[in-house]
Amino acid sequence: MHIPESLQELAKSEAVQFLRRPKTIMRVFEGVFSLIIFSSLLTDGYQNKMESLQLHCILNSNSVACSFAVGAGFLAFLSCLAFLVLDTQETRIAGTRFKTAFQLLDFILAVLWAVVWFVGFCFLANQWQHSPPKVFLLGSSSAQAAIAFTFFSILVWASPQPSPSSDLPSPSQPSARAFLPTDIPGLPSIPGPPK
């Protein structure tokens, strides 16, 4: 393993360039938001009422609401981790067919998760609105956090995620000269302004 000797050398390293990509930053946000959603409801989302020992979901005692948020959050977190690992290998993928399939799958999953989080936000907010106040002693902040981060997840998953293309220069490479119509062979050059 190479240890950088200066901060400039560290900033130019492949790992730092990967972490600075907008797509990587969005994946990290997606994963963190999903982690917050499922962990907040998993830890404080199920509580017992004062008169019984049975656990109930704090969202209107609807266990489907808590199960949906925990399950969707966990699966979204796993998909973020899987695509983050695949993103690290994206530059090493040689076949354009596999690269195209990967980008198509990435797009389809982003749309799917944006729809899932939209439905989840509407469902969780509705269940929270119909929850009777002061039934559970704890957990209201966890429910509110899950609802808020479900809304933020809609924005993060629906945001456009640029994918690096092989025909565009990478940040580490110098930018190429602009393509001009005069560069096309066989076309006459464009005359300049009259003298």
Side-chain angles (χ1 to χ4, degrees), residues 138-194:
L138 301 170
S140 64
S141 61
S142 295
Q144 291 169 348
I147 293 169
F149 280 97
T150 303
F151 177 74
F152 297 148
S153 292
I154 298 168
L155 302 175
V156 170
W157 282 97
S159 67
Q161 299 176 356
S163 60
S165 179
S166 59
D167 56 344
L168 297 176
S170 69
S172 61
Q173 296 174 347
S175 59
R177 168 177 87 78
F179 179 77
L180 300 173
T182 56
D183 295 338
I184 300 173
L187 285 180
S189 62
I190 300 173

Side-chain angles (χ1 to χ4, degrees), residues 4 30 39 46 50 65 77 84 86 89 97 101 109 122 154 160 162 169 191:
E30 292 165 356
S39 65
Y46 294 96
M50 293 220 210
F77 180 71
L84 201 56
L86 287 173
Q89 303 302 317
R97 188 176 254 182
L109 281 178
C122 295
I154 298 168

Side-chain angles (χ1 to χ4, degrees), residues 27-43 69-81 117 142 145-146 149-150 153 157:
R27 289 233 198 268
V28 169
F29 276 120
E30 292 165 356
V32 169
F33 290 174
S34 300
L35 182 67
I36 290 171
I37 292 166
F38 88 82
S39 65
S40 65
L41 286 180
L42 193 62
T43 56
V70 169
F74 184 68
L75 291 175
F77 180 71
L78 288 180
S79 69
C80 284
L81 287 181
W117 287 127
S142 295
F149 280 97
T150 303
S153 292
W157 282 97

Side-chain angles (χ1 to χ4, degrees), residues 21-24 26-27 83 87 90-91 99-100 102-104 106-107 159-171:
R21 288 176 40 198
K23 190 175 185 180
T24 305
M26 294 305 282
R27 289 233 198 268
F83 271 94
D87 283 343
E90 188 175 21
T91 57
K99 214 177 237 188
T100 304
F102 172 70
Q103 290 174 349
L104 183 63
D106 185 21
F107 175 74
S159 67
Q161 299 176 356
S163 60
S165 179
S166 59
D167 56 344
L168 297 176
S170 69

